[in-house]
Coordinates of all heavy atoms in Angstrom, one line a residue:
M1 N 127.2 101.1 47.7 CA 126.5 100.0 48.4 C 127.4 99.6 49.6 O 128.6 99.5 49.5 CB 126.3 98.9 47.5 CG 125.5 97.7 48.1 SD 125.2 96.4 46.9 CE 124.2 97.2 45.7
A2 N 126.7 99.4 50.7 CA 127.4 99.0 52.0 C 127.9 97.5 51.8 O 127.3 96.7 51.2 CB 126.5 99.1 53.2
D3 N 129.1 97.3 52.4 CA 129.7 96.0 52.4 C 128.9 95.1 53.3 O 128.6 95.4 54.5 CB 131.1 96.1 52.9 CG 131.9 94.8 52.9 OD1 131.2 93.9 52.3 OD2 133.0 94.7 53.3
P4 N 128.4 93.9 52.9 CA 127.6 93.1 53.7 C 128.3 92.7 55.0 O 127.7 92.5 56.0 CB 127.3 91.8 52.8 CG 127.5 92.4 51.4 CD 128.5 93.4 51.5
Q5 N 129.6 92.5 54.9 CA 130.4 92.1 56.1 C 130.4 93.2 57.1 O 130.3 93.0 58.3 CB 131.8 91.7 55.7 CG 132.6 91.2 56.9 CD 134.0 90.7 56.4 OE1 134.3 90.8 55.2 NE2 134.8 90.2 57.4
T6 N 130.6 94.5 56.6 CA 130.6 95.6 57.5 C 129.2 95.8 58.1 O 129.1 96.1 59.3 CB 130.9 96.9 56.7 OG1 132.2 96.7 56.1 CG2 131.0 98.1 57.6
S7 N 128.1 95.6 57.3 CA 126.8 95.8 57.9 C 126.5 94.7 58.9 O 125.8 95.0 60.0 CB 125.7 95.7 56.7 OG 126.0 96.7 55.8

Side-chain angles (χ1 to χ4, degrees):
M1 181 178 297
D3 186 3
Q5 184 177 0
T6 304
S7 301

